[in-house]
Amino acid sequence: MARFGVGCSVVMLQALGLGQGVVQAEPRHYALDPKASEIVVHVGKSGLFRFAGHEQDVVAGRFRGTVNVDPDQIGRSSVDITVDAASLRVTGRGDSAKDVQAKMLGPKCLEVARFPAIRFVSRTVTAGPGPAGVRDISIRGDLTLHGVTRELTLLVRLELAPDSMRATGATTLLQTDFGITPISIAGVVKVKNELALRWRFVGRRV
């Protein structure tokens, strides 16, 4: 009877898929939802008359991306995001904002006609221990901006739900690292070299 009982138990476990070890979660694939997501760049000012006017925020109007997450083996996760450079828009009002907008997209700054895309592609993803569904992760990857590619490491808070994901974070960039000369207005108000970037990405499972 004992042997029969053990044999039945093994058969039942195998039938339930439990005799092969712990069942692992399947990798999850997400497409970014631009309407629920945002990319914001804060543009500071420097120069003799930096107090004149207001500092500006720049938002990305059009972008797309995919996020692949393996909850059990986070190192197998990946990110690929592309921004339409021509869709960058200064949110402020007035002549100052209009000048920044025109110069930002023009041939002396982003040169969007020549470099239409801004892209980030991950190389490695790492994470420390954390509660189920919420992880603080580090993403090392390549950012291509203005035709120049630089390695960048991003710290991201990742939240997973059954059918969606949310990733938030912030970092800083130096324009000169990407061959961009900070623009100036009337030669006296100059945009700071350092840009403050923050993001909120929402992805829908596909």
Side-chain angles (χ1 to χ4, degrees):
M1 290 296 292
R3 290 181 180 177
F4 178 78
V6 171
C8 286
S9 298
V10 171
V11 171
M12 291 178 66
L13 287 172
Q14 290 177 340
L16 293 172
L18 302 177
Q20 307 297 323
V22 178
V23 177
Q24 293 186 334
E26 291 291 328
R28 305 177 187 182
H29 309 287
Y30 303 90
L32 293 188
D33 180 352
K35 292 183 179 179
S37 306
E38 69 173 1
I39 303 172
V40 181
V41 182
H42 182 71
V43 182
K45 293 182 178 180
S46 62
L48 182 61
F49 295 102
R50 59 185 178 277
F51 56 85
H54 301 283
E55 295 187 343
Q56 309 288 353
D57 281 344
V58 176
V59 297
R62 293 186 298 274
F63 53 91
R64 63 187 184 277
T66 57
V67 178
N68 302 308
V69 180
D70 188 328
D72 294 319
Q73 299 184 59
I74 202 70
R76 296 174 59 183
S77 304
S78 63
V79 178
D80 189 342
I81 298 173
T82 300
V83 177
D84 179 355
S87 75
L88 294 174
R89 178 174 56 85
V90 177
T91 60
R93 298 179 179 180
D95 293 338
S96 175
K98 292 179 181 178
D99 287 342
V100 172
Q101 173 82 28
K103 292 185 177 182
M104 175 182 69
L105 301 180
K108 293 185 178 181
C109 191
L110 290 179
E111 300 183 85
V112 297
R114 184 180 177 191
F115 306 110
I118 302 168
R119 187 181 184 191
F120 178 80
V121 180
S122 65
R123 288 188 184 184
T124 62
V125 179
T126 57
V134 181
R135 304 290 293 274
D136 289 320
I137 63 176
S138 176
I139 304 175
R140 183 172 65 89
D142 293 324
L143 176 64
T144 300
L145 168 63
H146 191 239
V148 177
T149 300
R150 296 283 188 185
E151 184 178 298
L152 191 66
T153 298
L154 305 176
L155 301 180
V156 178
R157 167 60 62 93
L158 176 65
E159 302 172 62
L160 298 177
D163 296 312
S164 64
M165 56 74 63
R166 176 187 172 98
T168 55
T171 192
T172 57
L173 302 174
L174 294 180
Q175 298 184 69
T176 49
D177 283 347
F178 297 90
I180 300 172
T181 300
I183 61 177
S184 62
I185 301 172
V188 291
V189 180
K190 188 175 182 180
V191 169
K192 286 184 178 179
N193 185 28
E194 184 178 85
L195 302 176
L197 171 67
R198 70 179 188 273
W199 61 85
R200 181 188 71 245
F201 292 123
V202 174
R204 307 301 179 187
R205 198 166 180 179
V206 295

